[in-house]
Amino acid sequence: MATIFSKIAAGEIPCHKIAESDAFFAFLDINPIVEGHTLVIPKQEVDYLFNLDDDTLGGMMAFAKKVALAMEAVLPCKRIGLTVIGMEVPHAHIHLIPIQKESDMFFGNPKLKKTADELAATAAKIREKFVE
């Protein structure tokens, strides 16, 4: 059965898409811990990031780098933090999180309440700077 992330990448579930390649997909987290919190997934369904083959894992990181550079260009942050948790959805994914300080990456922080329009505007700004 397809994961929720596979359904998002296939267009079966709406999302605020940032970027897409043949093998990877990036979209905004709908429950962000900071503005611009983005998820990067392989289109291939693999439960755990470190079960990806080396070429896919390397390609995913290169794709994530392009997404992170676009995020840095439009979001106020000192860095783009990267974390792998992978417990909530059985589909390999990484979180790209714009941060000013380390505590911005704490998932226990309250989630932001963003409207669909606000998420769409953030996604559009990032997409505009994404370079393939």
Side-chain angles (χ1 to χ4, degrees):
M1 185 160 110
T3 69
I4 190 168
F5 287 170
S6 291
K7 291 177 181 180
I8 288 170
E12 297 170 21
I13 296 174
C15 74
H16 298 283
K17 180 174 140 180
I18 301 297
E20 180 176 12
S21 71
D22 289 342
F24 308 105
F25 196 86
F27 56 100
L28 290 183
D29 192 309
I30 60 168
N31 294 304
I33 58 175
V34 298
E35 182 182 359
H37 178 173
T38 298
L39 299 170
V40 176
I41 65 167
K43 290 183 178 177
Q44 174 189 12
E45 283 189 15
V46 173
D47 179 21
Y48 181 49
L49 186 77
F50 297 120
N51 286 340
L52 292 170
D53 64 77
D54 291 349
D55 288 340
T56 302
L57 180 59
M60 185 173 170
M61 294 308 291
F63 180 80
K65 176 182 176 181
K66 293 175 184 177
V67 173
L69 292 173
M71 293 168 66
E72 266 185 337
V74 297
L75 299 168
C77 62
K78 289 185 179 176
R79 304 257 171 146
I80 301 296
L82 181 149
T83 191
V84 175
I85 299 171
M87 303 295 284
E88 62 280 0
V89 177
H91 191 129
H93 62 284
I94 59 174
H95 297 260
L96 297 177
I97 303 169
I99 59 173
Q100 297 292 345
K101 56 193 179 308
E102 289 178 13
S103 61
D104 290 341
M105 291 189 63
F106 178 56
F107 279 74
N109 289 339
K111 306 292 190 240
L112 298 181
K113 303 292 184 204
K114 294 288 188 178
T115 67
D117 287 343
E118 290 171 323
L119 291 169
T122 298
K125 287 191 307 188
I126 299 168
R127 264 194 318 272
E128 186 177 291
K129 296 294 182 179
F130 181 79
V131 178
E132 290 201 43

